[in-house]
Amino acid sequence: MKTAIPKPSKQSIIREARDYVMIAIGMILYGIGWTVFLLPNDITTGGVPGIASIVYWATGFPVQYTYFSINFFLLLLALKLLGMKFCIKTIFGVFTLTFFLSVIQKLTTGFGLLHDQPFMACVIGASFCGGGIGIAFSANGSTGGTDIIAAIINKYRDITLGRVVLICDMIIISSSYFVLKDWEKVVYGFVTLYICSFVLDQVVNSARQSVQFFIISNKYEEIGRHINEYPHRGVTIINATGFYTGREVKMMFVLAKKRESPIIFRLIKDIDPNAFVSQSAVIGVYGEGFDHIKVK
């Protein structure tokens, strides 16, 4: 007897579509940072884009073809060892970035920026790249490359993903010296790596950072109703008893995004300025309206 496969809900379809749109936006930002600011100023990035840059400086071979070729073989390996579920959004990210690299280079032909200011080009280019990767990571996508290598090594060896990526990036950036013959450019490459990592963390953390509230108020019904209506967060009512007074109270438990905190505080103050409120940061929140549960 065959088991019926449940159809995806409308919400899950919308969520998946939104993820792919965000990955595409992230890849566009990464492509701008790489080909408009870093590549023309001979500044190396990490990962497969770094290898593609070195090949371009040495031979003039277009970066998009090197980037796609290397990722093609890495994705074949990942499909065999890690499965389709890991690769599907990475494949989309690789194809999207490859396409937009060609488009961006055609649109910016003869258009030079900051050629006499390599440090500013490094900062701005790395910010674009880090922001792009951060947006893609927030949508559970990636640019492939060293992420795939790290995931494969992590599966068979007890070494963290971050350490593998860092080692690979350091080797790639240092290798650019053999083509550029300029240690200053290598240093700019390491600055790019640091800025890119910093911006990536800021984007990912700001998108996922959540807080929890414990609210005690006699007007709990009105407060809870307003929180339900906007910012559209669930409210759990907990029966509690004050130890000193012995009086039973209703305590509201609310989980929300950090950016929604001012909205919640404002409506509590408007309804009951004397409410007792506790706010604290949480490491992660998984479920409807927040992140999806991920099992590695």
Side-chain angles (χ1 to χ4, degrees):
M1 183 177 178
K2 293 184 178 180
T3 304
I5 300 174
K7 293 182 179 180
S9 65
K10 184 178 179 180
Q11 286 185 337
S12 65
I13 293 173
I14 294 173
R15 189 164 52 237
E16 285 294 309
R18 185 175 62 235
D19 283 352
Y20 283 106
V21 171
M22 295 306 293
I23 292 171
I25 293 172
M27 294 301 99
I28 292 172
L29 292 176
Y30 188 93
I32 292 172
W34 181 18
T35 59
V36 176
F37 295 98
L38 300 180
L39 195 63
N41 289 283
D42 296 341
I43 299 173
T44 321
T45 57
V48 173
I51 299 173
S53 298
I54 294 171
V55 172
Y56 170 75
W57 293 322
T59 65
F61 191 68
V63 290
Q64 61 267 29
Y65 300 135
T66 305
Y67 169 80
F68 181 78
S69 301
I70 296 174
N71 271 299
F72 178 77
F73 290 107
L74 287 174
L75 284 167
L76 287 179
L77 186 63
L79 283 169
K80 182 178 180 181
L81 298 177
L82 303 175
M84 175 59 77
K85 189 176 181 180
F86 171 86
C87 297
I88 186 67
K89 288 185 178 178
T90 301
I91 292 172
F92 176 78
V94 169
F95 273 93
T96 304
L97 181 54
T98 302
F99 172 75
F100 280 110
L101 284 175
S102 301
V103 174
I104 293 168
Q105 288 182 89
K106 288 180 181 178
L107 293 176
T108 57
T109 301
F111 179 70
L113 281 177
L114 303 174
H115 283 306
D116 57 340
Q117 301 179 57
F119 181 73
M120 285 303 300
C122 166
V123 172
I124 297 173
S127 298
F128 268 97
C129 290
I133 298 174
I135 291 172
F137 277 8
S138 297
N140 302 310
S142 80
T143 58
T146 48
D147 298 339
I148 297 174
I149 297 173
I152 293 172
I153 293 176
N154 179 254
K155 182 177 180 179
Y156 297 101
R157 293 288 184 271
D158 186 19
I159 181 170
T160 62
L161 297 174
R163 185 174 298 178
V164 176
V165 172
L166 180 62
I167 292 171
C168 291
D169 288 345
M170 290 181 68
I171 292 172
I172 292 166
I173 292 172
S174 300
S175 300
S176 67
Y177 174 77
F178 298 107
V179 174
L180 300 174
K181 305 296 182 183
D182 187 349
W183 282 113
E184 184 178 342
K185 298 296 185 182
V186 176
V187 172
Y188 281 137
F190 284 112
V191 173
T192 299
L193 179 63
Y194 173 79
I195 296 173
C196 187
S197 300
F198 176 79
V199 175
L200 189 158
D201 287 341
Q202 295 303 308
V203 172
V204 171
N205 290 337
S206 63
R208 295 183 174 177
Q209 195 167 8
S210 301
V211 293
Q212 67 180 17
F213 289 90
F214 285 106
I215 308 165
I216 299 176
S217 170
N218 292 329
K219 300 180 179 179
Y220 66 92
E221 291 183 342
E222 187 178 354
I223 293 174
R225 185 170 64 254
H226 278 80
I227 293 175
N228 277 164
E229 292 173 357
Y230 186 75
H232 308 293
R233 291 300 177 189
V235 179
T236 301
I237 303 298
I238 302 172
N239 292 318
T241 303
F243 180 78
Y244 180 74
T245 62
R247 185 167 60 90
E248 291 189 356
V249 296
K250 299 291 185 180
M251 182 168 64
M252 290 175 282
F253 173 63
V254 181
L255 287 167
K257 294 291 185 181
K258 186 177 181 180
R259 62 178 180 271
E260 296 167 341
S261 298
I263 301 171
I264 294 174
F265 274 117
R266 192 177 300 115
L267 67 86
I268 293 172
K269 184 179 179 180
D270 291 342
I271 297 170
D272 184 5
N274 298 317
F276 181 84
V277 184
S278 169
Q279 177 194 4
S280 57
V282 292
I283 295 175
V285 180
Y286 304 93
E288 186 66 33
F290 293 90
D291 291 339
H292 308 300
I293 297 175
K294 303 175 185 67
V295 180
K296 294 182 179 179

